[in-house]
């Protein structure tokens, strides 16, 4: 692998590289950089010669980065963001901004947070737009690393454990997170269900038929892990990937499911459902926001994190007082 001479390297090439990696498309990168596409291609070729790697190859309507490009991008992007924030600190003015932010979260989380977040946008940043993508994984780091989303919000226990382990080993993890609130999960069934009255024992719970909300489609979740530790298991007859769908199905069947307690009140189905405490201990469910560190010093991203945190605080406070 060719070692570039950093003293003679045109640092403008790194800005082009960062935008190409973000967009994964030369035409869109050229538009963002206010350059022509041939100029972007020329800059990319010069950087290729400097580092001795193709960096990107054509793929369909865009480009695909090489392993070398993927290894270089985080450090280059971080450095550019830090320089940008140092030269133009506090340049984000919410009332004048026209940014578009992309968030990933489950429907239950969106139902709780987005009304409050929209209120903040309409009041403080009327030119800002939000795109919410469905969260389909418990590990959104690839989405953040590839720049597909700005912020992921959800329950990420394995990710946070990995980040903690990296920190304990003295490494600097490329991702950061913020605790938003703690969620409590409860057993949910239809009004008039045979288990809606009387004690809900662990035997009665396990003997029932269950619906599981799972992003991956795998018929095994953290409830099943808790049951397995007790030498128990339940019969899952249906999996879905949305909490709202789970509530709708349970409201018209004899299936049981597990939902966040304060999500039920925003479904419009609360009058059709009965909530019971689970008859066994489960680990606390913490909802966190997760982002890539290269976004950390950007003033617009700092505003986004503060807005999401404020929306979560209001939603959680309301849910706690309604309990």
């Amino acid at each position: 692998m060719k070692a570039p001479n950093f003293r003679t390297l045109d640092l403008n090439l790194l800005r082009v590289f960062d935008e190409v990696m973000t967009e994964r498309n030369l035409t869109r990168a050229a538009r963002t950089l206010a350059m022509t596409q041939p100029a972007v291609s020329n800059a990319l070729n010069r950087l290729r010669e400097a580092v001795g790697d193709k960096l990107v190859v054509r793929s369909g309507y865009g480009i695909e980065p090489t392993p070398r490009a993927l290894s270089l991008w985080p450090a280059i992007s971080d450095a550019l963001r830090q320089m940008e924030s140092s030269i133009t600190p506090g340049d984000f003015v919410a009332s004048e901004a026209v940014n578009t932010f992309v968030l990933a979260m489950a429907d239950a989380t969106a139902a709780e947070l987005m009304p409050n977040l929209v209120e903040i946008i309409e009041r403080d940043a009327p030119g800002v737009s939000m795109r919410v993508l469905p969260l389909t994984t418990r590990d959104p780091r690839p989405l953040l690393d590839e720049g597909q989303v700005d912020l992921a919000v959800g329950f990420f226990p394995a990710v946070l454990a990995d980040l903690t382990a990296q920190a304990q080993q003295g490494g600097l993890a490329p991702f950061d997170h913020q605790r938003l609130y703690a969620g409590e999960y409860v057993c949910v069934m239809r009004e008039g269900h045979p288990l809606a009255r009387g004690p809900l024992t662990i035997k009665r719970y396990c003997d029932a038929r269950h619906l599981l909300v799972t992003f991956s489609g795998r018929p095994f979740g953290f409830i099943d892990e808790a049951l397995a530790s007790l030498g128990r298991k339940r019969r899952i007859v249906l999996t879905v990937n949305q909490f709202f769908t789970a509530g709708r199905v349970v409201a018209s069947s004899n299936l049981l499911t597990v939902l966040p307690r304060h999500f039920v009140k925003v479904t419009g189905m609360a009058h059709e459902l009965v909530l019971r405490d689970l008859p066994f201990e489960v680990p606390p469910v913490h909802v966190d926001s997760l982002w890539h560190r290269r976004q950390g010093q950007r003033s617009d991203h700092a505003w986004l994190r503060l807005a999401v945190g404020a929306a979560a605080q209001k939603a959680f406070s309301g849910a706690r007082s309604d309990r």
Side-chain angles (χ1 to χ4, degrees), residues 23-307:
E23 296 290 350
R24 297 292 202 272
N25 182 283
L26 297 185
T27 301
R28 290 198 299 269
R31 188 181 305 121
T32 302
L33 292 164
M35 298 170 62
T36 64
Q37 184 172 331
V40 170
S41 297
N42 180 61
L44 205 55
N45 286 333
R46 290 169 59 197
L47 187 60
R48 283 169 169 159
E49 293 177 3
V51 302
D53 187 87
K54 291 183 178 180
L55 296 177
V56 298
V57 295
R58 291 196 176 276
S59 175
Y61 292 102
I63 56 93
E64 190 72 25
T66 66
R68 173 69 166 154
L70 289 172
S71 69
L72 287 172
W73 189 35
I76 290 174
S77 186
D78 286 347
L80 290 173
R81 297 291 87 76
Q82 290 176 19
M83 286 190 290
E84 180 183 9
S85 64
S86 297
I87 294 172
T88 57
D91 58 340
F92 180 80
V93 179
S95 61
E96 302 173 2
V98 292
N99 300 55
T100 296
F101 297 108
V102 183
L103 297 86
M105 61 183 75
D107 64 317
T109 309
E112 294 163 4
L113 298 189
M114 292 313 298
N116 297 329
L117 193 52
V118 168
E119 181 181 337
I120 292 171
I121 292 171
E122 290 182 337
R123 183 189 67 224
D124 299 336
V128 165
S129 302
M130 296 279 179
R131 291 175 51 211
V132 178
L133 305 183
L135 186 66
T136 57
T137 175
R138 288 295 185 197
D139 187 353
R141 285 178 291 184
L143 298 174
L144 296 164
D145 189 41
E146 294 170 8
Q148 296 184 41
V149 301
D150 296 301
L151 198 70
V153 181
F155 177 46
F156 310 126
V159 174
L160 299 192
D162 187 36
L163 297 181
T164 299
Q166 292 182 45
Q168 291 174 343
Q169 294 171 5
L172 179 61
F175 301 91
D176 209 344
H177 64 96
Q178 177 185 3
R179 178 63 40 79
L180 297 179
Y181 58 87
E184 180 188 9
Y185 278 70
V186 292
C187 177
V188 179
M189 63 194 75
R190 67 171 175 83
E191 183 75 35
H193 192 284
L195 297 182
R197 296 185 180 277
L200 180 59
T201 64
I202 191 169
K203 182 180 187 307
R204 297 181 78 192
Y205 179 85
C206 291
D207 287 345
R209 293 158 63 83
H210 296 263
L211 180 157
L212 170 66
V213 180
T214 170
F215 299 147
S216 66
R218 189 172 66 104
F220 193 88
F222 72 95
I223 294 295
D224 303 283
E225 293 174 355
L227 288 172
S229 69
L230 300 172
R232 301 271 190 167
K233 63 180 180 179
R234 59 177 177 165
R235 167 83 168 105
I236 296 173
V237 300
L238 175 65
T239 67
V240 298
N241 63 1
Q242 291 186 327
F243 289 95
F244 183 86
T245 301
R248 186 71 271 162
V249 172
V250 166
S252 59
S253 72
N254 277 331
L255 298 182
L256 305 184
T257 194
V258 174
L259 297 176
R261 181 186 292 274
H262 47 284
F263 167 65
V264 175
K265 70 181 178 64
V266 302
T267 62
M269 296 179 284
H271 63 287
E272 303 177 58
L273 301 172
V274 174
L275 280 57
R276 303 293 305 273
D277 290 336
L278 291 164
F280 50 90
E281 294 291 327
V282 294
V285 177
H286 295 124
V287 176
D288 288 79
S289 59
L290 184 72
W291 65 91
H292 201 287
R293 281 188 182 274
R294 65 171 171 264
Q295 306 277 33
Q297 301 301 316
R298 291 176 47 179
S299 58
D300 57 345
H301 202 275
W303 178 88
L304 172 65
R305 299 195 303 271
L306 286 173

